[in-house]
Every structure is written in structure tokens, then in C-alpha cells.
Amino acid sequence: MRWRALGRWLSQHDGEQKTSLTRPVLHVLTAHLMTLPPTAMGLRHMEQTKAGDDDIEDLYASAFPAGDATNPSGNYNGQRATGNGDVSKTLRARNRKRRFFCGKMASDVRLPGLILAELTVAATVVAGGGYGAVRGARELRAVLASHGAAARVAFAPPTPRKDLSALPDLRIALEASGTFMGMSDELLLQRVRTQPIVRFKLNHGGSSISFRIDFADGSRAAWKPTQTNLQTIPRKEVAAYRLNRLLGLNAVPPAAPRAVSREDLLAHLHPESLALLPRIEAETIFGPGGKTVGTASYWVPVIKDSGFDTPEGQMLAQTWLSQGQHIPTDQRDMAAQLSDLAVFDFLTANPDRLSGGNMKMSPDGKQLYYMDNTMSFFVEPTGNLKTREALMKVQRFSRGTYAALDRISVPTLEQVLAEETGTPYEILTPAEIKAVVARRDVVRQYVAVLINQFGANEVLAFP
């Protein structure tokens, strides 16, 4: 109480308040002392906060009874002086003098002590802050050093292109899935690699820069350049397509690297996209030669939303893929595709599938397309939270996809994902390849646990 009264009393005086730089700290440090009994300082605080002379006279009347040496008239005993204006004025003057003396004494005696206490607290705070600053600087240097090391690894020079001639086993594995929408992969890849581009039209509705490009032969492709948006890494779309083929799937549109010069992009820009030219120039990254290396994917002519990225669709998919639950006969093939998608997204570490708009299907509702895979292949050996949760909701898998996991190894991926002629980057870095293999092991272990619990026929429920 005495310390809190002191703080409040000082806060009423302009001169003292200006020196109280650490007054909030003192209030915190002395809060536990508020239960101490009141003293003369506490009473004096109450006097200072009562503005009227009559109230102060009441306080002194109770403190000095009638007949006291300081109250010879004896008329204070709980009553105000009446009928004698001179006496009243004299007493009031005496009270004002007494208050002035008390305030001056408090200022002369208490203020230096308070200032000393404040300086002590301030010195402690400054010393602690100085230590924290030194410690923080050390931590910051360590973090920056680790980031610098990571950056040096991430931006290491690309390795020489590997020879793909000795891959008979992989070619056999890809034969069954060498078409997309009834067309040869090689035909579609040849188009997106070499067909002259006659028009670039910026796609709307996304955070990244992407174009629909029209070729001279009338076909189309989706093209994403190298850009400032770090969530869009075009080379990873090529990696997703090739991994999809390695697993025997045909759900990712064929994709290949495609370099475009600044002159060609601006010269063939669609009139509707001219208004967005400042954004295109600001976010597209061109190399020293004036070219940007992006990825061109076959443009699926007609698609629709599958609805499986909605809460209702996710619940339906989880029901189909849970042990003991019924799958309608006409939906077994779709259930198998949803199971494969969960495995595929876990292997590619793609957390963006269920964000909305990334689960498309054919107009007849029979074929899922695994589109937009540029935010993927993170260096996470156990996957990320979203893809792990999606995988752990699946208890039924494709027997063929599970067997195809054996094809995923570091040497195989290095060959399948080797850079193409004329492309100045690796499709995946060595660290990204090792992370894919590590995530393959997680899928294997998870399926093995389910097989041990429910049996192989129940877990490997799809062809």
C-alpha cells in the first residue's frame, strides 16, 4: 500500500512525473507490497487526492482531537468551525501551510531515493537488453550461416545430363501408360516442345503467372515461366509427369521444358492480356540471354470440377477408402484413382491439392486429372502434414501402384528425371530425389501395417 500510494502521489506532480521513466516497472516490482498497512505517506496521498479544504479539515479533525496543542480551540472534534470566520481562515491557512511543508519534505527526501531506484532498474534493464542483443546477434549469425549453406546446396551447378539409352525395364513399365486421352505421349510432347507459338494468353484466378498458349497447328498448352512466386517451380511439373508415368499412371498431362524469349512473349501477347503487362514483366524471370525457361503441359480441352476437394467430397472419398465400408460398383474405378492420388501427392509432397480448383476430372466424370503440381517435391522425408493426413485416411490401395513403388530408387529417378537437351536445369535436385525415395519407404511401411491388420486382399483392394 505504501509503495503504491507513493507511486500514485508522485503521478500527481508534474515535476516528479517527468523523471519517472521507469514508473511502470516500479509499479510491477512493488505490486506484491500493496498489502502492507497504511502509513503517514498513505494518509498524505489521500489528502492530496481529496481536492476540498473541508475534507482535509475533517481528516485533521479526526487526527488531532479537541484540546490538542495543535487545536487549542477544541472545535474540530468531528465538526467544522462555525460562526468565527477568522478562526476558520486561520485554520485553513495553517492546513495549507502544513500540506505545503509535507509535500516539500516528501519531494526533498523521497524523490532522490526514487530516482536512485529508477536508475538502478534502468541499468538492470539496459544490461539485460545488451546481453539479449549480443545473444540474439549470435543466434542470427548461426541461422544466416545455415541458410547460406542450404542456399549453396540448393543452387549448386547442375550435373551433366545422363544417358537414358540403357533403360529396357523402364520402357517396358511405361508401355502400358504411354497414352494420354487416347493420344501418344510422344506426339503430345513433340507438340509442346517444338510447335511455333502464335499466342500467349494470361490465365486468371491464380497467384502465379501462367499462360494458355496457342500453337500454329491449332493445339494448345499450359505454360508457366520461371517466376518470382516461389510456390510455383515449373520444372516440378515435368517431374510430376515423369513420376506419374514411372508408377504406371496416366493422370498428369504430358509436360516438357520450353524456353521463351522476352521478345516472343511480348510480341505474341493476347490483346486481353496487355493490361497485365506490368505484372508479367515484374514477375517473369528472364536470364542473361533474354529467355525464361518454363514448362509447357498439354492443354486438356474440356474439364470440370470433381468436387472431391470439398468437405463433402473428402468425406465421401474417405468412406470409400476405409475398411469395412461399401463402394458402389460404378464408383470402384474412381475410388481407385482417389487412392492413387493420395499416394502420388504424398510421394511428391504436394500440399496444394485440396486448396481448391486442383482436382479436375473429365466431363463424363470417369477420369481424374492430377494437374498443377508446381508446388511440390519439397525436401521432407516423411512428407508434410497435409499429405500425411491424406495418406493416413486411406486404407485401400491399388495392387499395381503398390508394386510400382519398387521402381522408385535414387538411380532410377536420376535417369528418369535427367535434364533434357537445351534445358539449363535439373528436373529435380539430388536432395529432392532422395526425399522422394524416403517418402516411398513411408508408404511401404504404412501399407505393410494395414496388411498385417486387415489382410492383403482387403488392403490391396484395387487392381
Side-chain angles (χ1 to χ4, degrees):
M1 178 69 180
R2 67 179 67 168
W3 285 96
R4 193 161 290 266
L6 173 62
R8 292 196 187 101
W9 178 81
L10 286 170
S11 68
Q12 304 297 322
H13 292 72
D14 294 337
E16 285 77 358
Q17 193 169 7
K18 290 178 182 177
T19 66
S20 297
L21 299 176
T22 58
R23 188 159 54 89
V25 180
L26 288 175
H27 277 211
V28 173
L29 296 176
T30 59
H32 64 287
L33 301 174
M34 62 183 298
T35 57
L36 294 178
T39 62
M41 183 60 73
L43 292 176
R44 194 149 46 245
H45 159 67
M46 289 187 287
E47 290 175 8
Q48 296 291 337
T49 55
K50 286 180 175 289
D53 286 338
D54 292 340
D55 294 325
I56 296 174
E57 290 171 5
D58 289 342
L59 285 170
Y60 277 97
S62 60
F64 302 103
D68 187 272
T70 59
N71 185 16
S73 61
N75 60 355
Y76 256 81
N77 192 16
Q79 303 293 326
R80 296 183 180 89
T82 58
N84 191 337
D86 294 337
V87 173
S88 177
K89 292 179 181 179
T90 301
L91 291 174
R92 293 186 183 185
R94 182 188 304 165
N95 290 336
R96 282 193 296 270
K97 183 177 181 181
R98 184 178 292 131
R99 288 200 308 276
F100 173 79
F101 173 76
C102 292
K104 188 176 185 303
M105 180 183 68
S107 298
D108 294 342
V109 176
R110 302 292 185 179
L111 183 57
L114 179 62
I115 293 175
L116 179 61
E118 289 182 349
L119 291 175
T120 302
V121 173
T124 304
V125 172
V126 170
Y131 173 77
V134 173
R135 181 68 178 271
R138 291 175 180 172
E139 297 291 340
L140 181 59
R141 282 196 296 269
V143 171
L144 292 177
S146 63
H147 280 231
R152 287 191 293 273
V153 173
F155 293 99
T159 57
R161 188 169 67 91
K162 294 190 170 69
D163 182 12
L164 303 182
S165 59
L167 299 175
D169 56 328
L170 294 181
R171 286 197 291 269
I172 293 173
L174 299 179
E175 282 180 359
S177 56
T179 62
F180 184 81
M181 298 180 62
M183 294 175 284
S184 165
D185 275 20
E186 286 305 318
L187 171 64
L188 299 179
L189 289 172
Q190 184 70 13
R191 284 178 177 174
V192 301
R193 286 186 181 120
T194 62
Q195 268 292 315
I197 300 173
V198 298
R199 188 71 69 193
F200 291 88
K201 184 176 182 180
L202 187 68
N203 294 321
H204 298 284
S207 60
S208 62
I209 293 286
S210 66
F211 296 86
R212 186 198 72 191
I213 56 178
D214 297 337
F215 293 123
D217 66 352
S219 60
R220 289 174 170 174
W223 181 73
K224 290 186 177 182
T226 302
Q227 55 194 271
T228 58
N229 184 355
L230 297 181
Q231 293 183 346
T232 298
I233 311 297
R235 62 183 174 82
K236 295 183 178 180
E237 192 70 47
V238 179
Y241 160 68
R242 295 188 185 181
L243 180 62
N244 140 88
R245 284 302 190 216
L246 182 62
L247 292 172
L249 305 175
N250 62 348
V252 180
R258 178 88 187 232
V260 174
S261 68
R262 183 195 302 269
E263 290 75 14
D264 285 343
L265 174 59
L266 300 183
H268 297 94
L269 196 61
H270 194 284
E272 295 180 6
S273 302
L274 290 175
L276 298 171
L277 182 58
R279 181 193 174 193
I280 295 172
E281 291 186 314
E283 297 184 21
T284 304
I285 299 176
F286 294 94
K291 288 189 175 183
T292 178
V293 180
T295 293
S297 305
Y298 173 71
W299 183 273
V300 182
V302 183
I303 55 177
K304 70 175 185 178
D305 287 328
S306 67
F308 287 111
D309 53 355
T310 65
E312 297 78 12
Q314 294 180 52
M315 183 62 66
L316 180 61
Q318 183 177 350
T319 300
W320 290 348
L321 300 178
S322 297
Q323 289 294 320
Q325 298 297 320
H326 173 68
I327 305 175
T329 303
D330 62 342
Q331 296 296 334
R332 286 192 65 84
D333 186 60
M334 181 56 61
Q337 292 182 61
L338 291 168
S339 175
D340 288 341
L341 177 60
V343 174
F344 182 77
D345 282 345
F346 183 80
L347 291 173
T348 61
N350 183 354
D352 199 35
R353 184 70 61 195
L354 300 178
S355 62
N358 291 332
M359 289 191 69
K360 304 295 186 180
M361 67 190 333
S362 60
D364 59 7
K366 294 183 178 180
Q367 175 67 52
L368 276 180
Y369 297 126
Y370 306 170
M371 304 171 67
D372 199 357
N373 301 284
T374 55
M375 184 180 173
S376 58
F377 291 101
F378 294 98
V379 186
E380 298 168 323
T382 59
N384 53 68
L385 179 60
K386 288 186 177 180
T387 57
R388 277 199 306 272
E389 288 181 344
L391 178 67
M392 299 307 168
K393 292 177 181 178
V394 178
Q395 296 180 331
R396 289 168 167 164
F397 295 89
S398 165
R399 191 177 294 270
T401 303
Y402 180 65
L405 294 176
D406 293 340
R407 301 174 190 153
I408 297 178
S409 65
V410 171
T412 301
L413 291 178
E414 286 178 345
Q415 293 176 333
V416 171
L417 300 173
E419 63 180 279
E420 297 189 3
T421 302
T423 303
Y425 58 69
E426 296 171 305
I427 304 302
L428 286 186
T429 66
E432 290 166 345
I433 288 176
K434 290 180 181 178
V436 174
V437 176
R439 291 190 291 268
R440 174 213 62 183
D441 293 339
V442 174
V443 177
R444 278 177 165 176
Q445 294 169 6
Y446 174 61
V447 175
V449 170
L450 292 175
I451 290 175
N452 185 58
Q453 182 176 358
F454 300 106
N457 290 335
E458 296 298 323
V459 175
L460 304 178
F462 309 117

